[in-house]
Structures are given as structure tokens and as C-alpha cells.
């Protein structure tokens, strides 16, 4: 174990002594800052006093929702399609009755709830690192001196994978911290004691908002981990970082659309991208009816194992010829 | 030398890629403190053999034992005795020389910072060690390559074409250095090259590999040109009788006849003797012409000379 830690330390040395790594980190922080400034100054939907008339707004919203529900019911009948809308109505009523204001987008929490969207950038940069971490050793020839050490190959591969994941988590953490700093500078701490409301099985539960935000970050990281693992596998199997970056980004940006296009077929639920967005089980409805959180987690675990076993087997057997 | 325990043993080592056999069963024992030259034209299988010895390529059949440990079954143990440079020492260019050494040191238990400093001094890089490797000359990279190979005080140094691309001064530096560590630290050095002249200056023994077969292993001392057979041509009449005589008295000299010229392979001190025999038997010897081969020619002859060397 001590051995593995030192190997991870080596991989970190190789990641963080590179200029390109720091450019990516700066870009990520910059994008969160710009995102924060943009939401404050460019998007300003309600120019009135959001604190005084939120109850009226919710009532208007509820009427709108009721109409939507009726429309959908007339078209396809009652079912999973209307369920999230009905829940929203119930939560809105509960807010009005109990005087719990919703989180406005122009508050610290509002900004931080939208911040997990930035994990797409984190995925992008972590894919670049994961795609290069094995392939670049081959393309520069350094793999030869790396593998003639008294360390078995699987340990070297494991250390590279762990270093990639660490980098990915560092990026997510940076988004969280930056979003918190930017949000608190721009919006202050107003409404910080607001709870997060959930409606489950006929019960309203008030939860800690910070926990909710961390959960959102966690759910968004699922896609990040899967894509980084995928890039890492391509990098190991084909020894080409450009192929690994290209393929991973292509799938990351088109995967959801492909799933949507094919959503009429039942087998689509076995595609990785139908399962990476776990938020579908907390708000909204699953891509294919009947999919459950357990199902998705199982599918994700299968893909995760497959990617890692493929990397491991190929790396272990490879003849280093070039 | 033979009474000592070998430190590296290759036992009928074979490599197949697909259905093609590249290495056809190499067996070889190397002893502590010797410098062994692995000589062969490009494409003979030197690099493949070396890569199997250090575990970069899988062994198809046979085995490699390093200090008694199989490279295949007990890689970590076996390779811990080995330091190597495989072709050009490709280091991380964006790291400093010292960071590169720290990186390799972390992969081996119990290497102290002082050891790194000591090695850096040994290869004479202390002034530039904090600079990035991309600013180094090829000679400096080669020295840093030696430093990483010596970091864990190995008992064996495996060098694949270490002088490739170096200028004459650099080649000489490496050569002197290899001889010194073999002598002073009793390190076995296994070095490959396609240049015979270079091998002669550096090695105790030379093994010649050709088409994936080890075709000869010789001590450098016995490879001196004086000891080589000389092709001697005798201008004789009658030629057929002369050939019969030589076949009878010295059948192992590969006698052959072409017009009046009888050609035999002889050592220098045998020429006068054979001449006397021929004259005593009534043969007219009207001319003797000796043609000495250089080692280079012999090497080309053995390896077929089908590749530039």
C-alpha cells in the first residue's frame, strides 16, 4: 500500500509539473467566475422584489402547472409524465402554507445549485489528463524506463488511474469552492438558512441545503467518473491520447442525444448514457419507464468493471516494442 | 571464470510473434564483473532479446534467471538487481533531471536523498541537475540515463545501444565509464551494439547474434587478428597432386584448388611448414600469397554481411 502511495505521488508529479495542467485548472476557475458574473448581470428575469411577492409567483406557477398536467392527461393519460409536475404543485403549496421561500437563482444557494453544471468542464479536463496518462508514456518512450523497475505493471496502472481520479475530484472541489466564494461575494449570505424541501411518500421533509448541493455535485460526478474511466481505457488499449480524447468527448456530448433518439426502444436502458444521469430518479422521470436507481447503479457498475478490466488485461499483457 | 555462479542465465529463450519465430532459442550465462557485448546487425534480434530479459516483452518459451529469480514468475525480485537503458534514455523532458531521478527513486524501496546526490556527482551532472531535461544535450541525457540505471546499486547493467547517436567523445566517455564500474563495483554489464570495433574496446566477451540465433561467443583476447586463420594461396604445379598431399597431411585447412592456385586456411606460423612439405614431395612452388582477414570481415562473413554494419 505504501508502495502504491509513492507511485501515485510520482503520477501527481508528472501531472502538476506540466504547464498545461495549470492552464486547465485556471480555465476551470475562470469559467465558474464568468458564469457567476453572467448570471448576476446578464440574466435578470424578475426585476421586482423577489422577497415580497414570491407567494404570488408560486400561485401563478401552480396554475400554469395545473393546466400543463391537464393537457398531458388528455393527451397520454395520467402516469409518470405528470408526477414530477404534481409534486412541484404540492411543494409550492407547502411553501405558501408554511412560509418557506423558494431558493432564488440570485442567491448564494441558487448559484451553487446551478454550479454542478460546471462538472462538464471538469470532465473535459479530466478526460484530457486520463487520456494522456498512459498513452503519453508510450508516445514519448518513457514507458520503457518506467516498467523496468521492481514494481509490477498492475501497480503502475492502478497508480495512474488513482492519480487521474484524484485530479478529477480536485477539479470538482475547485468548482465547489470557487462557486461558494463567487456566490457569497456577489449575493451575500441572504437566505442561507433556507431548507431544501423534498416530497416523498406523502411526506414533506426539510433537508439541509448544503447537503443537497453536495449531493448534486456527487450525482453529476457519476458521469465524470464514467467518462474518465472510459478515456483511461481507450488510452491504455490503443496507446493514443488523441483517440481517447476524441472518442470520450464525442460520446460525452452526444451520448444523451443518442439515448433520446433511441428512447422508444426498451434496450436503450442498457446503454451507458441512459444511466449516467442519476438525477432522473430524484427529479424528473427515467428515460425508459420501469428503470430504477438500483438498475442504473448496477449497469454503471458493470460498465465500470468492464472498462477497468479491459485496461488492466491489455496493459498487463502488452509487449513494449516501440 | 567458469567456477563462479552465473548472475544472468538465458535458457533456450524464444520469442514468437504470431506464427513467426524471431528468437530461436538463445542460451547464455553471464558472470559477475564481466562486460558482455551482444553484437549483431540491425534486426538480428538484439533488442527483442534484451526486452525479454527486462520483462518489457513476454517470453514465448525458455526462461531468464537473474540471480536465480525468474523474470517471468518473480519479476519484482529479479528486476531489482537490474539497471538499464533501453535504446535512448527517454526521460520526462518537462521535469528537471533531479525530479526524474526522484521519480525513479520512489519506485524502489529505501533510496535516500544522499544517494541521488552521490549518483549525480558520479555522472558529473551536478551543475545542470535542476534544469529541465529538454535543455540537455544528448550526451547529458545519456549520463542522466546512466544515473537512473545506477540509482539502486544494481548488480547488472543492461544497455541497449548506449552509444547510438553520440559523438566520439561521448562514446569514449561511456566506454571508459562502463569499464570502470565493471572493474570497481563488480557489476556485470550486458551491452548491445552493431559496431564490432566499439565492442572490442569495451567487452570481455562478445556474443554474435544473427537471425535470432546466437552463433558464436568468444573471449575478446582470443579474437585478436593474429589468431585468425589466414587464407594462403600457393602457386603450385602439378596442382592436383598438391591438393591430394594437403588433404592428406592437413585435412582441416579447407584446401581448394583453382587453376594453379591452391588455397588453404592456415595460422601464420604454419605457412613455412606446409611449403616445406610440398617442396619435399616434389611440388613446384612458384609463389605464396597470404591474405589476412580483419575481424570486421570475419564478422561480416559470419553474419552474411547482408546488412550495413
Amino acid at each position: 500500500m505504501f508502495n502504491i502511495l509513492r507511485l501515485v505521488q510520482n503520477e501527481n508529479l508528472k501531472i502538476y509539473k506540466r504547464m498545461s495542467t495549470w492552464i486547465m485548472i485556471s480555465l476551470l476557475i475562470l469559467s465558474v467566475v464568468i458564469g457567476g458574473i453572467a448570471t448576476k448581470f446578464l440574466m435578470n428575469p424578475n426585476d421586482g422584489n423577489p422577497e415580497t411577492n414570491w407567494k404570488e409567483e408560486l400561485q401563478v406557477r401552480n396554475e400554469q402547472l395545473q393546466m400543463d398536467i391537464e393537457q398531458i392527461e388528455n393527451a397520454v393519460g395520467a402516469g409518470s409524465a405528470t408526477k414530477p409536475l404534481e409534486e412541484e404543485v404540492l411543494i409550492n403549496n407547502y411553501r405558501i402554507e408554511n412560509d418557506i421561500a423558494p431558493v432564488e437563482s440570485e442567491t448564494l444557494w441558487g448559484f451553487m445549485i446551478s454550479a454542478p453544471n460546471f462538472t462538464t468542464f471538469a470532465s473535459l479536463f479530466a478526460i484530457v489528463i486520463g487520456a494522456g496518462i498512459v498513452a503519453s508514456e508510450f508516445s514519448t518512450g518513457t514507458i520503457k524506463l518506467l516498467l523496468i523497475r521492481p514494481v509490477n505493471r498492475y501497480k503502475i496502472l492502478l497508480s495512474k488511474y488513482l492519480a487521474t481520479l484524484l485530479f478529477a475530484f480536485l477539479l470538482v472541489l475547485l468548482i465547489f469552492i470557487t462557486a461558494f466564494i463567487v456566490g457569497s461575494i456577489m449575493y451575500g449570505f441572504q437566505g442561507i438558512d433556507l431548507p431544501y424541501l423534498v416530497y416523498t411518500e406523502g411526506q414533506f421533509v426539510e433537508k439541509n441545503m448544503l447537503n443537497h448541493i453536495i449531493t448534486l455535485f456527487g450525482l453529476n460526478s457519476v458521469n465524470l467518473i464514467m467518462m474518465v474511466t472510459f478515456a483511461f481505457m481507450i488510452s491504455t488499449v490503443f496507446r493514443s491520447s488523441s483517440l481517447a480524447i476524441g472518442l470520450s468527448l464525442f460520446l460525452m456530448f452526444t451520448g444523451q442525444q443518442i439515448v433520446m433518439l433511441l428512447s422508444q426502444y426498451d434496450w436503450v436502458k442498457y446503454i451507458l448514457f441512459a444511466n449516467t444521469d442519476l438525477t432522473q430518479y430524484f427529479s424528473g422521470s427515467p428515460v425508459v419507464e420501469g428503470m430504477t436507481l438500483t438498475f442504473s447503479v448496477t449497469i454503471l457498475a458493470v460498465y465500470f468493471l468492464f472498462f477497468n478490466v479491459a485496461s488492466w488485461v491489455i496493459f498487463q499483457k502488452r509487449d513494449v516494442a516501440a | 571464470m567458469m567456477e563462479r555462479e552465473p548472475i544472468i542465465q538465458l535458457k533456450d529463450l524464444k520469442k514468437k510473434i504470431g506464427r513467426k519465430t524471431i528468437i530461436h532459442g538463445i542460451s547464455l550465462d553471464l558472470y559477475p564483473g564481466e562486460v558482455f557485448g551482444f553484437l549483431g546487425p540491425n534486426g538480428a534480434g538484439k533488442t527483442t532479446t534484451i526486452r525479454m530479459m527486462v520483462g518489457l516483452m513476454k517470453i514465448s518459451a525458455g526462461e531468464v534467471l537473474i540471480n536465480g529469480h525468474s523474470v517471468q514468475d518473480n519479476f519484482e525480485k529479479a528486476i531489482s538487481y537490474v539497471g538499464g537503458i533501453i535504446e535512448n534514455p527517454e526521460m520526462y523532458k518537462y521535469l528537471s533531471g533531479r525530479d526524474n531521478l526522484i521519480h525513479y527513486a520512489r519506485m524502489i524501496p529505501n533510496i535516500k536523498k544522499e544517494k541521488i546526490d552521490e549518483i549525480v556527482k558520479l555522472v558529473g551532472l551536478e551543475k545542470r541537475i535542476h534544469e529541465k531535461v529538454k535543455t540537455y544535450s544528448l550526451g547529458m541525457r545519456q549520463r542522466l540515463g546512466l544515473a537512473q540505471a545506477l540509482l539502486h546499486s544494481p548488480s547488472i547493467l543492461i544497455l541497449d545501444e548506449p552509444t547510438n547517436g553520440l559523438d566520439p567523445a561521448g562514446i569514449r566517455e561511456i566506454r571508459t565509464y562502463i569499464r570502470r564500474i565493471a572493474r570497481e563495483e563488480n557489476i556485470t554489464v550486458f551491452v548491445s551494439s552493431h559496431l564490432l570495433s566499439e565492442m572490442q574496446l569495451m567487452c570481455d566477451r562478445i556474443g554474435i547474434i544473427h537471425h535470432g540465433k546466437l552463433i558464436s561467443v568468444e573471449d575478446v583476447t582470443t579474437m585478436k587478428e593474429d589468431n585468425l586463420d589466414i587464407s594462403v594461396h600457393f602457386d603450385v604445379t602439378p596442382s592436383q597432386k598438391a591438393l591430394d598431399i594437403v588433404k592428406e597431411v592437413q585435412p582441416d585447412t579447407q584446401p581448394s584448388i583453382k587453376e594453379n592456385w591452391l588455397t588453404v586456411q592456415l595460422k601464420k606460423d604454419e605457412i613455412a611448414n606446409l611449403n616445406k612439405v610440398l617442396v619435399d614431395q616434389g611440388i613446384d612452388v612458384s609463389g605464396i600469397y597470404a591474405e589476412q582477414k580483419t575481424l570486421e570481415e570475419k564478422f561480416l562473413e559470419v553474419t552474411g554481411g547482408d546488412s550495413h554494419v
Side-chain angles (χ1 to χ4, degrees):
Chain A
M1 196 58 216
F2 177 62
N3 207 344
I4 291 284
L5 287 181
R6 302 219 299 188
L7 294 178
V8 173
Q9 217 182 340
N10 267 348
E11 296 308 322
N12 283 341
L13 175 79
K14 288 183 264 183
I15 292 175
Y16 300 104
K17 284 268 174 162
R18 282 188 145 150
M19 193 57 168
S20 55
T21 306
W22 292 99
I23 293 175
M24 289 192 283
I25 289 176
S26 316
L27 278 176
L28 184 80
I29 294 175
L30 196 68
S31 66
V32 178
V33 173
I34 290 174
I37 294 171
T39 37
K40 184 166 172 77
F41 297 106
L42 299 181
M43 289 181 267
N44 224 344
N46 39 343
D47 30 27
N49 271 336
E51 287 142 61
T52 50
N53 55 11
W54 63 265
K55 285 185 183 175
E56 284 166 32
E57 266 175 32
L58 282 187
Q59 257 155 5
V60 174
R61 170 90 183 134
N62 271 356
E63 281 160 25
Q64 179 67 39
L65 283 171
Q66 284 296 355
M67 276 158 64
D68 287 353
I69 292 168
E70 272 166 39
Q71 261 181 353
I72 294 169
E73 274 175 354
N74 289 338
V76 289
S80 65
T82 56
K83 213 175 148 213
L85 302 181
E86 282 163 11
E87 277 180 17
E88 199 184 333
V89 173
L90 288 172
I91 288 178
N92 287 345
N93 286 337
Y94 184 85
R95 286 189 186 284
I96 295 165
E97 284 161 28
N98 295 280
D99 200 26
I100 304 168
V103 175
E104 297 291 337
S105 62
E106 285 123 70
T107 60
L108 172 60
W109 289 146
F111 181 59
M112 287 205 67
I113 283 172
S114 65
N117 295 329
F118 287 102
T119 49
T120 308
F121 290 110
S123 303
L124 186 96
F125 296 141
I127 282 171
V128 172
I129 293 292
I133 200 161
V134 177
S136 71
E137 300 267 7
F138 280 95
S139 60
T140 59
T142 48
I143 189 77
K144 289 176 283 185
L145 289 186
L146 186 68
L147 292 185
I148 57 165
R149 309 287 143 184
V151 175
N152 277 326
R153 285 190 186 187
Y154 75 88
K155 291 185 193 162
I156 289 178
L157 193 69
L158 178 64
S159 67
K160 284 184 175 296
Y161 183 61
L162 290 178
T164 310
L165 286 188
L166 276 176
F167 179 72
F169 285 128
L170 172 79
L171 294 186
V172 175
L173 191 67
L174 281 176
I175 294 173
F176 185 87
I177 294 171
T178 315
F180 187 82
I181 295 171
V182 170
S184 52
I185 289 173
M186 284 193 300
Y187 305 111
F189 295 100
Q190 183 187 30
I192 198 134
D193 52 348
L194 281 178
Y196 172 64
L197 264 188
V198 239
Y199 177 80
T200 39
E201 293 156 18
Q203 291 276 316
F204 290 98
V205 190
E206 292 181 16
K207 286 190 173 170
N208 185 305
M209 188 59 86
L210 190 62
N211 282 347
H212 170 61
I213 290 167
I214 290 171
T215 312
L216 282 182
F217 271 96
L219 292 175
N220 274 275
S221 300
V222 171
N223 196 27
L224 166 80
I225 291 172
M226 294 309 293
M227 290 323 294
V228 165
T229 309
F230 177 76
F232 188 80
M233 175 195 70
I234 299 291
S235 167
T236 310
V237 173
F238 296 101
R239 288 169 296 167
S240 160
S241 59
S242 41
L243 181 71
I245 295 175
L247 212 53
S248 311
L249 291 189
F250 174 75
L251 287 177
M252 188 170 89
F253 289 121
T254 59
Q256 304 285 353
Q257 275 90 321
I258 293 172
V259 167
M260 281 304 154
L261 276 175
L262 300 172
S263 60
Q264 67 210 64
Y265 303 106
D266 187 57
W267 51 259
V268 83
K269 64 185 176 189
Y270 298 110
I271 294 177
L272 172 65
F273 301 100
N275 297 286
T276 46
D277 180 20
L278 292 180
T279 54
Q280 64 185 325
Y281 301 110
F282 299 94
S283 53
S285 58
V287 181
V288 175
E289 213 166 305
M291 282 170 72
T292 61
L293 182 61
T294 325
F295 174 82
S296 281
V297 169
T298 314
I299 293 286
L300 288 173
V302 169
Y303 274 98
F304 183 80
L305 273 179
F306 170 75
F307 291 160
N308 278 317
V309 168
S311 309
W312 192 75
V313 169
I314 298 282
F315 191 73
Q316 196 76 10
K317 291 199 166 171
R318 163 144 287 140
D319 271 353
V320 180
Chain B
M1 191 177 276
M2 286 304 147
E3 67 273 14
R4 284 185 289 170
E5 285 284 304
I7 188 147
I8 304 183
Q9 290 176 284
L10 309 191
K11 292 183 175 172
D12 200 22
L13 189 64
K14 286 181 185 159
K15 179 68 185 177
K16 279 184 193 160
I17 293 182
R19 296 171 68 184
K20 200 173 166 223
T21 306
I22 290 176
I23 303 294
H24 302 264
I26 290 183
S27 296
L28 184 65
D29 286 354
L30 299 184
Y31 297 90
E34 78 167 325
V35 181
F36 186 91
F38 200 44
L39 184 66
N42 294 330
K46 298 186 298 272
T47 297
T48 306
T49 308
I50 286 180
R51 287 185 183 204
M52 284 195 283
M53 289 168 70
V54 296
L56 286 176
M57 283 182 143
K58 293 278 171 290
I59 294 167
S60 303
E63 64 177 341
V64 176
L65 297 180
I66 295 176
N67 226 351
H69 303 283
S70 159
V71 167
Q72 243 175 336
D73 304 333
N74 198 355
F75 177 74
E76 290 191 351
K77 189 76 188 160
I79 207 75
S80 64
Y81 298 101
V82 178
I85 303 180
I86 310 299
E87 290 174 334
N88 302 319
E90 279 124 347
M91 315 289 260
Y92 302 98
K93 292 196 176 81
Y94 52 89
L95 298 180
S96 70
R98 196 179 158 78
D99 277 342
N100 266 289
L101 293 180
I102 289 173
H103 171 271
Y104 294 118
R106 281 202 195 118
M107 302 183 78
I108 305 145
N110 306 321
I111 292 209
K112 296 203 168 65
K113 288 267 189 289
E114 296 83 67
K115 177 74 184 175
I116 297 178
D117 297 333
E118 188 191 313
I119 294 280
V120 169
K121 209 173 274 175
L122 193 74
V123 297
L125 275 178
E126 58 267 59
K127 281 192 187 127
R128 301 281 303 273
I129 200 67
H130 293 287
E131 289 173 38
K132 291 196 171 164
V133 172
K134 62 181 163 203
T135 66
Y136 286 16
S137 67
L138 186 61
M140 290 169 71
R141 283 180 202 185
Q142 202 65 266
R143 277 188 273 162
L144 187 62
L146 266 179
Q148 64 78 25
L150 292 168
L151 211 49
H152 54 298
S153 318
S155 2
I156 303 146
L157 205 53
I158 294 180
L159 309 168
D160 189 7
E161 307 265 0
T163 54
N164 242 2
L166 287 183
D167 57 16
I171 293 178
R172 202 182 138 152
E173 194 181 346
I174 292 278
R175 190 167 65 218
T176 318
Y177 192 74
I178 288 175
R179 290 251 46 125
R180 203 178 87 205
I181 53 170
R183 197 176 55 240
E184 288 174 7
E185 324 235 344
N186 206 30
I187 292 178
T188 307
V189 182
F190 185 92
V191 52
S192 82
S193 174
H194 57 272
L195 297 172
L196 175 72
S197 51
E198 195 181 295
M199 294 270 102
Q200 274 181 291
L201 293 167
M202 198 165 11
C203 303
D204 301 313
R205 282 199 299 158
I206 293 181
I208 297 175
I209 179 174
H210 188 54
H211 290 320
K213 289 176 188 134
L214 192 63
I215 49 183
S216 86
V217 178
E218 285 180 62
D219 272 25
V220 165
T221 45
T222 62
M223 278 180 85
K224 294 235 173 69
E225 295 187 343
D226 300 347
N227 295 325
L228 281 182
D229 283 349
I230 302 166
S231 290
V232 187
H233 310 281
F234 291 89
D235 189 353
V236 287
T237 33
S239 54
Q240 194 52 49
K241 192 183 170 200
L243 180 64
D244 293 340
I245 294 166
V246 177
K247 273 186 177 164
E248 199 179 314
V249 293
Q250 283 193 299
D252 55 341
T253 57
Q254 306 161 30
S256 68
I257 198 104
K258 195 180 174 193
E259 290 169 24
N260 283 350
W261 289 99
L262 169 75
T263 304
V264 284
Q265 308 295 322
L266 290 176
K267 296 269 189 292
K268 200 175 180 180
D269 51 4
E270 293 171 331
I271 301 174
N273 195 34
L274 185 65
N275 184 37
K276 188 166 179 289
V277 172
L278 288 172
V279 173
D280 285 351
Q281 298 274 345
I283 306 285
D284 267 0
V285 180
S286 45
I288 301 175
Y289 154 59
E291 190 184 22
Q292 181 151 39
K293 282 181 196 159
T294 63
L295 273 175
E296 201 75 45
E297 279 171 328
K298 196 193 172 200
F299 169 57
L300 279 175
E301 197 180 275
V302 203
T303 60
D306 53 354
S307 173
H308 69 283
V309 273

